[in-house]
Amino acid sequence: MAPSSSSLPAVVLLLSVLFVSIPVLDGLELELGGDGLYREILRDETVLRLKELGKISDGEGFLERTFLSPASIRATHVIVGWMKDAGLTTWIDQMGNIHGRYEPSNSTDKALLIGSHMDTVIDAGMYDGALGIVCAISALKVLKVTGKLERLTRPVEVIAFSDEEGVRFQTTFLGSAAVAGILPESILQVSDKSGTTVEDVLKLNSFKATAAALGQVKYSPESVGSYVEVHLEQGPVLEALRYPLGVVKGIAGQTRLKVIVDGSQGHAGTVPMKLRRDPMVAAAELVVTLESLCKDPSRFLTYDEECGCFTEESLAGLVCTVGELLTWPSASNVIPGQVNFTVDIRAMDDVVRETIVASFSRIVMQRCDDRLVDCAVEHKHSAPATPCDAELTTQLELATRSAVSAMTPPSIGGGQRRAEPTPVLMSGAGHDAMAMARLTKVAMVFVRCRGGVSHSPEEHVAEDDVWAAGLALLRFVDQTVVAEL
C-alpha cells in the first residue's frame, strides 16, 4: 500500500517534540499471511460494517449515538452478531458494554483485551471508536477462518465500551471505567440535561443499576494481561508524515470543568448598563481569559527553576477548550440570569495541567467579584497523563511495520522490501486506554485520518488504511498469542 502522495507540510518540522521513532530491527520475518492479505475481511467487510454502524443514529441526517440511547441498543445487537460471526462467546455487562471472548480450553493465562467505544459525539464521524471495535472483530474472524483461533494460548476478548465520549452525562469513560473498577457508586445519581439519571437509564434498559451490579462489571487485575486499542489518530501528524499507522507513546491528561455564572435577570431595554449584573458578559470575559491563559501561560504562571515545570517541552500539547455554553432564560430581549459553560484542559505534563486548572479557577473568582456576579467551578472529570507500556508498544510497532511493508509493492528491479520505522506519537485526545491503564498495561495503534479531522461528519479513513490497521492487529495477535504448530 503506497502512502499518501500529499506533500509534506512545513508544520512537520514543529512536530519533533511529539514524534520519535523506534529503530528498525533487521531480519524481521514478513509473512504475507494469506491470499490477498485477507483483504475481503480486513478491508472490504470491515469498511462495509463501519458504514452500517455509521447509519445507526439517534439523529436525523447526522450521527449521534450516546450512552444506552435507542440507537446504541440497536447497534449493540448488530455488534453482537458480528462477534458471534467471528467465533466469539458474547455477553452484555451491567453497564451496557459488549463483550466477545474466545477462551482456550485449559488456559490459565491472563487475557488480552482489545477494544474501543461504540458511542459518538453529536454530529459525529463514523470511525471514532467504531474503527477499533470492527478492526478487532475482523482480525479475530481471520483467525477463525484460518483455524488459528483454536491455537490461542490465552483468552482474547473484544470489548465495545458503552460510553467514552461523556456526551450524555458529561462524565467520560463510563464503560471502560466500570471494567477497570474505578467508576464510583455515585455515578448512578448523575443526571443528563433532562434530569434523567444513570440509574434511570440503566433500569429503563433492564440493567440492575445497583452498586453491587457495577461491582460485577469490574475485572480483577489478576485476570487481565494487557489491553490494546486501535483508534484513528484524530490529528494531522500521520498524514503529514505520509504513513498509515503509528503507535502511541502516551495520552495527555485531561480535566473537565463546568463554570456556573449567576447574575441578575432583567429586561434588556430597561436596566441601565451601569446597574447590570450580567453573567453573559462575565462568561465571555472568562472564555477569552482562558484562551489567553493557554496560549501564553507565561503571562499568568511563574516558572519554577527547581521543578522545571514550565519549560517549553512541558507546555507542549497544552490545549484549552470551551465547547458548550448555556444561558437562562435564553431570550433575545432578556438579560440572562445564569450562564453555564464547559472547560476542557489537556496537557502531556500533569503538573502543568493542574496548575492551569488552579490558576483559571482563581481567575474566575477574581473576575466574577469584579463584575459583582456569583461564580462556581465544578470539577466534572480529571484523568492523569497515561504512558503506554514500552514492551507492548514495541510489539505493536513490529506488527504495524510488518503489515505496512507487506502491503507495499517491492521496489522496482526485484529489490527486497525494507520497512520504514513506525511513527510513535503522543495523543492529545482521551481514550478508553486511559481508564484501562488503571487495570492493566495498555498500548495503542493510531490510524491516519484525512486532514486530521475528527468529531465531524468529514472524518475519514482510507479503505487501505483500515486494511493496514486490521492486518497489523492480526499480526500482533498472531505473533504474541497464537501457538506455533
Side-chain angles (χ1 to χ4, degrees):
M1 177 188 63
S4 168
S5 59
S6 59
S7 59
L8 190 67
V11 72
V12 175
L13 298 177
L14 301 178
L15 299 173
S16 58
V17 172
L18 299 179
F19 170 73
V20 295
S21 62
I22 296 175
V24 176
L25 300 180
D26 292 328
L28 179 67
E29 293 289 339
L30 297 178
E31 176 188 2
L32 287 183
D35 182 33
L37 298 174
Y38 309 115
R39 177 177 56 197
E40 292 79 7
I41 296 174
L42 297 177
R43 188 189 72 176
D44 301 346
E45 185 174 73
T46 300
V47 170
L48 286 175
R49 287 177 169 181
L50 285 166
K51 290 179 179 178
E52 180 180 351
L53 204 55
K55 294 176 182 178
I56 303 176
S57 173
D58 291 304
E60 289 290 336
F62 62 92
L63 178 56
E64 175 187 351
R65 196 167 56 240
T66 57
F67 178 64
L68 293 184
S69 67
S72 177
I73 300 303
R74 296 197 302 274
T76 295
H77 296 305
V78 172
I79 293 170
V80 165
W82 294 341
M83 288 179 170
K84 289 181 177 179
D85 179 54
L88 308 179
T89 299
T90 65
W91 71 96
I92 301 167
D93 67 30
Q94 291 297 312
M95 276 300 288
N97 299 311
I98 312 167
H99 302 254
R101 184 178 178 105
Y102 186 84
E103 188 94 31
S105 59
N106 302 320
S107 173
T108 58
D109 287 343
K110 296 182 177 182
L112 165 63
L113 306 182
I114 311 171
S116 197
H117 58 98
M118 61 181 291
D119 67 314
T120 75
V121 296
I122 300 172
D123 199 22
M126 67 180 187
Y127 299 91
D128 185 356
L131 178 65
I133 296 168
V134 182
C135 277
I137 294 172
S138 295
L140 292 185
K141 182 175 179 177
V142 171
L143 293 180
K144 174 192 172 185
V145 301
T146 57
K148 289 187 175 183
L149 199 60
E150 299 175 356
R151 290 164 44 199
L152 294 180
T153 58
R154 59 186 173 121
V156 176
E157 182 175 323
V158 179
I159 308 179
F161 294 113
S162 57
D163 176 276
E164 184 254 22
E165 300 288 2
V167 170
R168 185 169 187 177
F169 292 99
Q170 296 297 300
T171 302
T172 58
F173 309 136
L174 289 181
S176 51
V179 171
I182 58 173
L183 195 64
E185 295 178 12
S186 59
I187 195 67
L188 293 172
Q189 303 310 316
V190 174
S191 60
D192 63 15
K193 295 175 184 177
S194 70
T196 303
T197 66
V198 173
E199 181 180 16
D200 295 333
V201 173
L202 289 169
K203 288 182 176 179
L204 182 64
N205 289 280
S206 301
F207 296 110
K208 294 179 181 178
T210 64
L214 291 184
Q216 294 172 4
V217 179
K218 176 184 176 180
Y219 279 40
S220 68
E222 293 76 20
S223 69
V224 180
S226 55
Y227 170 79
V228 170
E229 182 170 354
V230 173
H231 205 283
L232 79 157
E233 182 195 351
Q234 299 181 284
V237 178
L238 288 173
E239 186 176 60
L241 295 171
R242 302 169 63 189
Y243 206 82
L245 304 175
V247 290
V248 180
K249 183 179 181 181
I251 305 170
Q254 178 186 21
T255 297
R256 287 189 182 184
L257 309 173
K258 179 180 179 181
V259 180
I260 303 169
V261 186
D262 285 304
S264 294
Q265 187 173 321
H267 195 291
T270 61
V271 180
M273 295 300 292
K274 291 185 178 180
L275 299 181
R276 296 186 179 193
R277 297 176 57 243
D278 189 341
M280 179 66 81
V281 179
E285 182 178 355
L286 292 173
V287 172
V288 174
T289 298
L290 177 68
E291 181 190 42
S292 299
L293 175 61
C294 293
K295 273 188 172 180
D296 187 9
S298 61
R299 288 178 52 198
F300 300 84
L301 307 179
T302 303
Y303 174 70
D304 188 328
E305 288 284 354
E306 183 176 349
C307 74
C309 299
F310 308 124
T311 63
E312 183 176 346
E313 182 177 357
S314 70
L315 291 171
L318 171 64
V319 289
C320 304
T321 304
V322 173
E324 183 178 13
L325 189 146
L326 300 174
T327 68
W328 178 261
S330 193
S332 62
N333 62 343
V334 178
I335 302 167
Q338 185 180 87
V339 176
N340 300 335
F341 63 93
T342 61
V343 175
D344 185 310
I345 300 174
R346 309 187 190 205
M348 305 298 179
D349 188 310
D350 286 334
V351 175
V352 167
R353 175 177 52 83
E354 292 164 1
T355 304
I356 293 292
V357 170
S359 297
F360 179 67
S361 299
R362 184 174 61 253
I363 291 171
V364 167
M365 298 308 170
Q366 292 172 348
R367 299 292 168 85
C368 287
D369 284 346
D370 293 342
R371 289 191 169 273
L372 303 178
V373 294
D374 298 318
C375 289
V377 179
E378 296 181 356
H379 288 243
K380 308 300 287 187
H381 171 74
S382 184
T386 303
C388 290
D389 181 76
E391 181 180 358
L392 271 179
T393 300
T394 298
Q395 291 170 336
L396 281 174
E397 191 275 336
L398 293 174
T400 57
R401 180 151 44 92
S402 171
V404 173
S405 178
M407 295 177 65
T408 304
S411 60
I412 298 175
Q416 291 186 341
R417 298 182 181 91
R418 180 171 177 81
E420 298 180 25
T422 298
V424 180
L425 312 175
M426 292 296 297
S427 175
H431 301 286
D432 288 300
M434 297 183 77
M436 295 299 286
R438 304 286 292 275
L439 173 69
T440 187
K441 57 186 181 181
V442 302
M444 292 188 69
V445 173
F446 271 172
V447 187
R448 174 173 55 187
C449 58
R450 185 172 61 196
V453 174
S454 183
H455 284 188
S456 163
E458 300 302 313
E459 183 179 280
H460 180 75
V461 177
E463 291 186 3
D464 279 357
D465 289 0
V466 172
W467 185 11
L471 185 59
L473 188 55
L474 171 64
R475 293 192 168 199
F476 168 77
V477 175
D478 194 7
Q479 294 166 7
T480 59
V481 189
V482 176
E484 296 182 2
L485 288 176

